Amino acid sequence: MMLPTVRAVALFGAGVPVCLVVLIGWPGLWPFSFDLSLLVLLLMGIDALLVLPGRFVDAKVAVASAVPVGNLAQISVLLVAKRPADGLAVQCALDLSGPVTPPGNFAAMVKGGSAEVSVPLLPTRRGVVQLETLWLKWRGPLGLMEVRKRLPLTTRIEILPARRTAYGPPLNALMNSAIHGSKVQTQKGEGTEFDTLREHVAGLDSRFIDWKQSARHRRLVSKEFRIERNHQVVLAFDTGHLMLDAVEGLARLDHAIEAGL
């Protein structure tokens, strides 16, 4: 879509008082009273021919599919000109919905046929952010006509619980345990998962004596247990209205979830 700019409207409007002055003061010169307005229209037509059409500009938007709440993400916008347009200044705007701070308008300068700009995105609550539309706008060389292009988007960003400290290197080191490896490592302890039987000796707890097996083997036999692994842990949080108050830009509930993780 091509529209006149504010500069073009101002120049065209400035010709109206001139026309009135000429018509009132010199009625015989009325054919020349419209020259200024016609000159502005002519310049607008020339600018419309020189401006880069919208079909020759395309854009691609890339962003992570999931972002932790309270962490700064980057939306990468790549502009590609299908026709030489070095020095083309493109104004961009993103329409999005969801629990996120609006990024505002941004600009990109096309050089070498393309331009890439990063837009910061700061989610404030957990949920889903939907990128809906990317708006592009640029002007002709005379600044009298501008082209506006609308690009629909279908990108979704999931805003996950905060993990600024919950998923750091220390926790990753602990998660690389033997239960995920190729070598079995048995850790014995006072758990409830049965491991094996062994001959009862002094120092073992008499509560773990298996009397049936002891009668069968005609000697005292005790049970050995392993430490429980892979148990499900349920974290319960109070989600009352007081948890909605923000602390350092995040809801108290998000701080509680991070502490629980």
Side-chain angles (χ1 to χ4, degrees):
M1 180 173 57
M2 189 176 300
L3 297 172
T5 63
V6 177
R7 180 187 302 178
V9 175
L11 290 177
F12 186 84
V16 176
V18 176
C19 294
L20 293 177
V21 171
V22 173
L23 290 176
I24 296 174
W26 302 276
L29 299 178
W30 68 265
F32 302 98
S33 62
F34 299 98
D35 288 349
L36 181 59
S37 299
L38 293 177
L39 177 61
V40 174
L41 292 177
L42 178 61
L43 293 177
M44 291 173 59
I46 295 175
D47 201 27
L49 295 176
L50 297 178
V51 69
L52 185 66
R55 64 180 182 275
F56 291 106
V57 177
D58 198 3
K60 297 180 180 179
V61 178
V63 65
S65 59
V67 178
V69 63
N71 287 254
L72 189 64
Q74 297 293 333
I75 302 178
S76 178
V77 179
L78 177 63
L79 302 178
V80 179
K82 302 177 183 179
R83 203 172 76 179
D86 288 347
L88 179 65
V90 181
Q91 300 289 331
C92 310
L94 272 172
D95 286 345
L96 48 83
S97 60
V100 65
T101 302
N105 299 340
F106 54 96
M109 183 67 68
V110 177
K111 294 181 180 180
S114 64
E116 186 173 4
V117 60
S118 296
V119 185
L121 183 72
L122 182 62
T124 56
R125 292 190 62 83
R126 288 166 290 107
V128 177
V129 175
Q130 178 72 45
L131 302 185
E132 299 175 349
T133 308
L134 174 63
W135 294 92
L136 304 178
K137 181 177 69 173
W138 63 93
R139 295 183 176 183
L142 301 180
L144 300 178
M145 300 296 293
E146 68 179 17
V147 178
R148 298 182 181 181
K149 186 172 183 178
R150 177 181 179 272
L151 298 175
L153 303 175
T154 58
T155 306
R156 289 167 52 91
I157 308 173
E158 295 184 7
I159 309 302
L160 304 180
R163 57 177 185 178
R164 292 171 294 177
T165 59
Y167 296 107
L171 183 60
N172 292 334
L174 292 176
M175 292 177 63
N176 294 330
S177 58
I179 59 175
H180 300 293
S182 59
K183 181 179 180 181
V184 178
Q185 177 182 353
T186 303
Q187 297 181 356
K188 300 182 183 302
E190 294 185 0
T192 58
E193 187 175 353
F194 176 74
D195 182 40
T196 185
L197 294 173
R198 61 163 296 176
E199 184 178 357
H200 184 77
V201 296
L204 295 181
D205 195 336
S206 59
R207 296 176 299 174
F208 298 149
I209 296 177
D210 190 334
W211 296 106
K212 291 184 179 180
Q213 296 298 329
S214 298
R216 181 178 301 174
H217 292 83
R218 298 186 178 183
R219 65 177 184 273
L220 291 179
V221 177
S222 294
K223 296 179 181 179
E224 281 192 343
F225 298 90
R226 288 185 300 199
I227 299 176
E228 296 89 346
R229 307 298 295 271
N230 294 335
H231 280 200
Q232 293 184 354
V233 179
V234 178
L235 302 177
F237 300 96
D238 180 7
T239 58
H241 67 280
L242 294 178
M243 297 294 284
L244 297 177
D245 293 338
V247 178
E248 297 182 357
L250 291 180
R252 294 186 181 183
L253 181 58
D254 291 320
H255 286 286
I257 293 175
E258 181 180 1
L261 292 176

